DNA sequence: CATTGTCCCTGGAAGC
DNA sequence: TGCTTCCAGGGACAAT
């Protein structure tokens, strides 16, 4: 399930293979993914355009096209972007064909992914808070964003308007590293706890990028390789396993219908 | 505005 | 063995 480190990995590995290439055709296998555009309208606005730039914002990938359109892709749970797949893979929704004969396929088993064409930054920027790895995201900025929030810190970390890019897995890992209970009200955290959580978020995201993301569920890199960040997970999806620090079984709790995994001994309320 | 619940979607696992 | 139900979760959206 692609979160910030997975999307960043995809961006980095895709970039050298697609920048400057011209899209000669797009095959639409599932028109629902380009809704509200029709398949032909989508094809009309994409075909013949060159990919000038690729960037990540939160969990979004943004392909800058030469006609000043932006192709925005959100992979949600099960989306993947694969370069030159050897065959037509199951759940293929779109295939981009380039002028050098190469191809980029978008597959999405659960079909929750989003593809959007826009000429503005607004649809993405309106939904997102700051990038946690940018220097301008300071601990003071983080503290301000948690101030007076009564919701559980786990729910607040998943709010993309508070911080962009953190998903369920890395929220659990950051809270474990910072030794904070996922239900702790966000606005009640002490300055020390906020500092620990701030450090943990940055360390965990950076480390996961170094490991090319976590291959939980269907995540694959553009060449089909897997990431290895999940081998370092302490709590995410580790229900019942002994905590690496104290041996207490990892517990699962539902917060906002999201599975939250934590060590009840290391992360006291 | 902050918060919370529901829905979307599919396929693997679990339960019967 | 084969059926049904549950579960995974990002985020849009509606309700409060």
């Amino acid at each position: 399930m692609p979160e910030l480190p997975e999307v960043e990995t995809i961006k980095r590995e895709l970039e050298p293979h697609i920048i400057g290439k011209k899209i000669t055709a797009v095959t639409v296998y599932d028109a629902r993914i380009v809704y509200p555009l029709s398949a032909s309208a989508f094809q009309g606005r994409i075909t013949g355009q060159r990919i000038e730039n690729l960037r990540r914002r939160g969990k979004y990938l943004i392909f800058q096209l030469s006609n000043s359109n932006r192709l925005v892709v959100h992979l949600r749970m099960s989306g993947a972007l694969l370069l030159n797949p050897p065959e037509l893979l199951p759940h293929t929704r779109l295939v981009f064909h380039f002028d050098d004969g190469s191809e980029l396929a978008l597959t999405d088993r659960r079909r929750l992914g989003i593809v959007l064409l826009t000429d503005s930054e607004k649809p993405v920027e309106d939904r997102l808070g700051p990038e946690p790895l940018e220097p301008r995201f300071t601990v003071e900025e983080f503290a301000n964003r948690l101030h007076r929030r009564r919701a559980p810190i786990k729910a607040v970390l998943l709010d993309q308007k508070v911080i962009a890019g953190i998903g369920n897995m890395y929220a659990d890992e950051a809270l474990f590293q910072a030794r904070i209970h996922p239900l702790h009200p966000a606005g009640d955290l002490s300055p020390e706890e906020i500092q620990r959580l701030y450090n943990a978020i940055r360390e965990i995201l950076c480390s996961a990028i170094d490991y090319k993301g976590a291959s939980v569920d269907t995540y694959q890199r553009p060449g089909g390789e897997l990431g290895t960040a999940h081998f370092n997970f302490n709590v995410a999806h580790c229900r019942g396993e002994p905590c690496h620090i104290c041996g207490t079984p990892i517990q699962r709790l539902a917060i906002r219908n999201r599975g939250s995994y934590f060590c009840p001994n290391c992360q006291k309320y």
Side-chain angles (χ1 to χ4, degrees), chain A residues 22 25 37 55 60 98 102 122 137 141 147 152 173 209:
Chain A
K22 184 189 272 189
L37 289 182
R55 63 190 187 89
Y60 291 90
F98 299 111
S102 60
K122 225 175 152 343
F137 180 68
E141 163 88 7
H147 186 61
E173 290 301 316
I209 292 171

Side-chain angles (χ1 to χ4, degrees), chain A residues 43-101:
Chain A
Q43 288 161 327
R45 284 173 63 177
I46 292 280
T47 306
Q49 301 309 313
R50 214 169 274 283
I51 297 179
E52 296 194 332
N53 175 268
L54 173 63
R55 63 190 187 89
R56 178 193 61 75
R57 178 75 171 94
K59 301 173 197 170
Y60 291 90
L61 279 168
I62 303 168
F63 300 76
Q64 178 71 52
L65 305 181
S66 44
N67 64 355
S68 86
N69 271 319
R70 294 158 176 82
L71 176 72
V72 178
V73 175
H74 195 303
L75 299 168
R76 293 276 182 95
M77 298 296 299
S78 59
L81 285 165
L82 298 167
L83 277 165
N84 302 313
E87 61 201 326
L88 183 62
L89 300 168
H91 317 298
T92 298
R93 310 299 174 189
L94 294 175
V95 177
F96 299 90
H97 306 267
F98 299 111
D99 51 355
D100 65 347

Side-chain angles (χ1 to χ4, degrees), chain A residues 233-254:
Chain A
F233 281 174
N234 283 296
V235 287
H237 300 108
C238 296
R239 172 164 30 178
E241 293 175 31
C243 170
H244 293 155
I245 303 295
C246 72
T248 305
I250 300 305
Q251 281 186 12
R252 180 191 179 277
L253 193 65

Side-chain angles (χ1 to χ4, degrees), chain A residues 135-205:
Chain A
R136 79 183 81 155
F137 180 68
T138 61
V139 69
E140 291 78 18
E141 163 88 7
F142 185 44
N144 287 340
R145 288 174 169 271
L146 302 185
H147 186 61
R148 288 177 169 277
R149 309 267 314 213
R150 284 168 302 159
I153 182 62
K154 172 68 187 288
V156 175
L157 288 179
L158 294 179
D159 184 341
Q160 302 299 297
K161 291 211 73 158
V162 175
I163 317 172
I166 300 176
N168 206 37
M169 298 183 299
Y170 295 109
D172 283 354
E173 290 301 316
L175 287 169
F176 174 79
Q177 184 168 315
R179 306 191 305 280
I180 294 168
H181 194 287
L183 285 176
H184 198 113
D188 288 353
L189 293 171
S190 69
E192 292 74 22
E193 289 171 318
I194 291 175
Q195 181 72 58
R196 288 208 305 271
L197 184 54
Y198 171 85
N199 293 346
I201 287 168
R202 296 177 66 130
E203 285 171 24
I204 281 184
L205 294 177

